[in-house]
């Protein structure tokens, strides 16, 4: 390698090390000022000596470029930490008239068949029937995944109990289990395809 290339490479490395040391010390100073949990001052002697040795190596050859960068940074506007850390306020968007959305979700034709079949078996679904249709969706998904009826029944019983609570009804364990079995039978017969 020619002598000129080695000096150029060494010069670049010295500049890079010096710039990294300045940037790292700037970050440390900027990040540590608002720490309310600090119990003692950290030692900066290792960082300072490393930065000093790096800058000493590069100062001989980097003096012209260092003064140019210092004058460039002196002309930049200075902002306070709070000002720089916050974004400008955004204009709030108007809330749509139908926020948070429709109060009732339409039930599909298959969902309505399922609800009608439940009513014919003596089970009155809560509210608009969306919880019952969700339970039917769960039953069909479990069947499609090959889950056993015993495993599915545990969750369906819990869902039936939750729906009864939403409707203001109290079910015994036996009633919840019987209703869950009805949900499973009706879903398999009318809803799952």
């Amino acid at each position: 390698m020619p002598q000129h290339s080695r000096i150029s490479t060494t010069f670049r490395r010295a500049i890079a090390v010096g710039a990294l040391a300045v940037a790292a010390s700037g970050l440390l100073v900027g990040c540590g000022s608002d720490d309310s949990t600090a119990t003692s001052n950290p030692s900066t002697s290792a960082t300072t000596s490393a930065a000093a040795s790096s800058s000493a190596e590069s100062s001989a050859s980097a003096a012209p470029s260092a003064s140019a960068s210092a004058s460039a940074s002196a002309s930049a506007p200075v902002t306070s930490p709070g000002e720089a850390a916050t974004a400008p306020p955004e204009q709030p968007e108007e809330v749509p008239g139908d926020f948070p959305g429709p109060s009732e979700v339409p039930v599909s034709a298959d969902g309505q068949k399922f609800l009608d079949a439940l009513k014919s078996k003596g089970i009155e679904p809560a509210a608009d029937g969306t919880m019952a249709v969700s339970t039917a969706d769960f039953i069909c998904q479990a069947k499609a995944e090959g889950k056993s009826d015993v495993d599915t029944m545990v969750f369906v019983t819990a869902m039936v109990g939750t729906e009864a609570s939403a409707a203001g009804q109290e079910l015994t364990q036996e009633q919840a289990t019987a209703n869950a079995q009805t949900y499973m039978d009706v879903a398999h017969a009318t809803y799952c395809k």
Side-chain angles (χ1 to χ4, degrees):
M1 181 180 269
Q3 180 69 21
H4 176 65
S5 292
R6 274 189 256 148
I7 292 173
S8 177
T9 303
T10 305
F11 177 73
R12 286 184 196 144
R13 285 184 186 160
I15 293 291
V17 169
L20 285 173
V22 169
S25 65
L27 285 173
L28 288 172
V29 169
C31 292
S33 65
D34 289 333
D35 189 2
S36 63
T37 60
T39 57
S40 68
N41 292 333
S43 172
T44 57
S45 62
T47 306
T48 306
S49 64
S53 66
S54 296
S55 62
E57 293 173 3
S58 64
S59 65
S61 59
S65 64
S67 63
S69 66
S71 65
S73 65
S75 65
V78 178
T79 61
S80 68
E83 188 177 8
T86 59
E90 293 183 19
Q91 294 294 333
E93 294 182 22
E94 290 187 31
V95 177
D98 64 346
F99 182 79
S103 58
E104 291 187 20
V105 178
V107 177
S108 68
D110 289 337
Q112 192 58 52
K113 287 179 193 175
F114 173 73
L115 294 173
D116 292 340
L118 281 180
K119 289 177 186 175
S120 72
K121 299 281 186 181
I123 297 176
E124 187 65 36
D128 60 354
T130 55
M131 289 179 76
V133 173
S134 294
T135 303
D137 287 332
F138 174 77
I139 293 167
C140 296
Q141 183 65 34
K143 180 180 179 182
E145 291 176 0
K147 305 267 190 226
S148 71
D149 284 346
V150 173
D151 290 339
T152 305
M153 186 71 160
V154 172
F155 292 103
V156 173
T157 303
M159 295 166 98
V160 166
T162 302
E163 184 177 5
S165 293
Q169 303 170 352
E170 287 191 33
L171 297 178
T172 65
Q173 180 63 37
E174 293 79 24
Q175 289 171 323
T177 302
N179 286 0
Q181 188 60 55
T182 304
Y183 269 70
M184 299 247 322
D185 294 340
V186 170
H188 288 293
T190 63
Y191 193 73
C192 301
K193 305 222 175 197

